[in-house]
Every structure is written in C-alpha cells, then in structure tokens.
Amino acid sequence: RKEVEQDPGPFNVPEGATVAFNCTYSNSASQSFFWYRQDCRKEPKLLMSVYSSGNEDGRFTAQLNRASQYISLLIRDSKLSDSATYLCVVRDGYSTLTFGKGTMLLVSP
Amino acid sequence: EPEVTQTPSHQVTQMGQEVILRCVPISNHLYFYWYRQILGQKVEFLVSFYNNEISEKSEIFDDQFSVERPDGSNFTLKIRSTKLEDSAMYFCASSEAVGKETQYFGPGTRLLVL
C-alpha cells in the first residue's frame, strides 16, 4: 500500500518564525513530488514541485532525499497568510497523486 | 488565470439516489481527474481520464462510479446509488499532460448523503 506520512500538527508559530515540515513516502518508485497547500474547506493548490537538487521559491525551500524517501518544506519569515494545511503529495503511477493527510500551520501575530 | 470549475458547490441527496457531479476542466488540458476528501481525512485519488477513456482508477472507484466527457467541455462523475459513506468533498482536476505536469484542482462539490 502506497502511503505518505506527515506530522498532523498543528504547528503554532509567531509571525516571522521559520518552520519546517517533513514527510516520508513508502513507494521507492515514486516519480514526482509536490507540496500543496489547502485552506479550510478549499481545494488543494500547488505550492511547489520538489526536485532532487532541492529548490527554493521566495520564502519556501523544498528538499528531497530519495535514499531516505523523505521530503521537507521550510518556510522562512512566516506570514499570517501562511496559515493553512500543507499537503505532501507524491506521484506514484502514470497519473495518480497520493496525498499525505497534511500538516496544519497556524501563524499568530 | 484559467481555472477548473465545478457544479454544484453543494449537493444533498438521499441514500440510493443517483448524483452527477460536473466539472469544466481548463480548456487546453487533456487529462482529467476526480479525487475525494472525506471530512477530516486525506485527499484520495478516484480516477484519471484521457482520450475518452479511463487511464487509471483506484479501488474506491467501483461499479457504482462512472465518468464521462459528454461534450467538448464538461467532465462528469456519476454515482449510481449513493451510500452514506459517499459523503465527501469531490474535487475535479486537470492537467496539460501526464508526467511532471501540475494538476490544477477545482473548488469541489460537497456531497452529503442522508
């Protein structure tokens, strides 16, 4: 069974803090990796793809360790608007996305 | 910015009734998907669709489910005889291609089966 595991949180941080989320996946044949964010009762929205070499998009940095089957997301200088659930997502099959249950982030003033 | 749209936003139905959930994918996209999210649980893949046929489906997508692209714009999910456990948010998604291409999600239809 293909699984993606995440710490459900919530992570409570003050504005300006740096916060890191981790994720592990079970299928060593997984091909593509993503972080999505989901606001309460809304659809998942792509935050960033995750590449083997690591990649950065503004305040967000994603890392992938294929040997350990481990993905991370680092958010620097947290904003109130970053409050959401962060979903670790893995593409296993031809098109299938497997989602983690998500890690909730609450950023407070 | 182009987006995936879904109707209705909410649907309440009686157990045993048929429901059809509708989606309009992004216009130049060729691959279409349905996912569901039971309240408090993770998003789960149901089915992918390309070139008028199912590409992949999960074990959730049993005989009571079907998908169709009845015209050039709509993509539908039909649940033939709804059960209480079908209550969930159903998301449609589309992508330009398979592989590394991003899947863009619609706002979802919240289905409540009574």
Side-chain angles (χ1 to χ4, degrees):
Chain A
R1 187 179 174 128
K2 299 165 186 172
E3 297 283 352
V4 176
E5 299 291 340
Q6 294 182 252
D7 180 342
F11 283 53
N12 287 284
V13 302
E15 269 185 296
T18 295
V19 61
F21 305 135
N22 304 317
C23 160
T24 58
Y25 59 95
S26 63
N27 182 7
S28 59
S30 296
Q31 299 168 44
S32 303
F33 309 90
F34 310 90
W35 283 100
Y36 277 73
R37 80 172 262 168
Q38 186 174 30
D39 294 291
C40 189
R41 296 177 178 267
K42 300 282 191 179
E43 73 273 25
K45 290 188 176 176
L46 180 69
L47 182 65
M48 59 196 302
S49 300
V50 187
Y51 304 116
S52 297
S53 54
N55 49 298
E56 189 173 305
D57 183 1
R59 298 181 293 109
F60 300 87
T61 301
Q63 298 277 355
L64 168 65
N65 184 323
R66 281 188 185 268
S68 303
Q69 294 178 207
Y70 172 94
I71 306 164
S72 66
L73 176 69
L74 184 77
I75 304 175
R76 289 181 299 278
D77 189 23
S78 299
K79 313 288 184 195
L80 295 176
S81 57
D82 292 334
S83 296
T85 296
Y86 289 83
L87 308 176
C88 180
V89 183
V90 170
R91 186 174 66 83
D92 288 312
Y94 185 64
S95 55
T96 309
L97 296 183
T98 300
F99 284 75
K101 204 169 174 184
T103 298
M104 183 182 290
L105 172 65
L106 299 171
V107 182
S108 53
Chain B
E1 184 178 316
E3 57 186 22
V4 176
T5 59
Q6 290 184 242
T7 54
S9 59
H10 295 78
Q11 173 103 41
V12 181
T13 191
Q14 295 290 326
M15 191 170 56
Q17 294 297 304
E18 175 183 285
V19 294
I20 298 176
L21 310 183
R22 291 183 166 80
C23 168
V24 178
I26 294 172
S27 62
N28 64 331
H29 285 187
L30 302 176
Y31 295 83
F32 315 118
Y33 314 87
W34 283 101
Y35 293 82
R36 79 171 186 191
Q37 187 175 30
I38 295 171
L39 189 64
Q41 297 189 25
K42 62 182 179 181
V43 177
E44 299 174 291
F45 170 77
L46 293 178
V47 66
S48 61
F49 190 87
Y50 169 69
N51 200 26
N52 281 319
E53 59 184 34
I54 291 173
S55 301
E56 289 182 290
K57 62 181 180 179
S58 71
E59 58 191 24
I60 302 169
F61 193 87
D62 61 23
D63 290 344
Q64 69 160 348
F65 291 92
S66 62
V67 289
E68 191 179 30
R69 187 156 164 83
D71 53 44
S73 59
N74 289 285
F75 178 52
T76 63
L77 174 70
K78 182 192 289 186
I79 309 174
R80 248 177 287 281
S81 177
T82 49
K83 303 174 196 158
L84 297 177
E85 55 264 37
D86 294 328
S87 296
M89 180 75 99
Y90 288 81
F91 293 110
C92 174
S94 69
S95 66
E96 200 168 344
V98 289
K100 296 179 181 177
E101 293 295 328
T102 301
Q103 294 185 21
Y104 294 89
F105 284 74
T109 293
R110 186 167 298 279
L111 176 66
L112 178 61
V113 182
L114 301 176

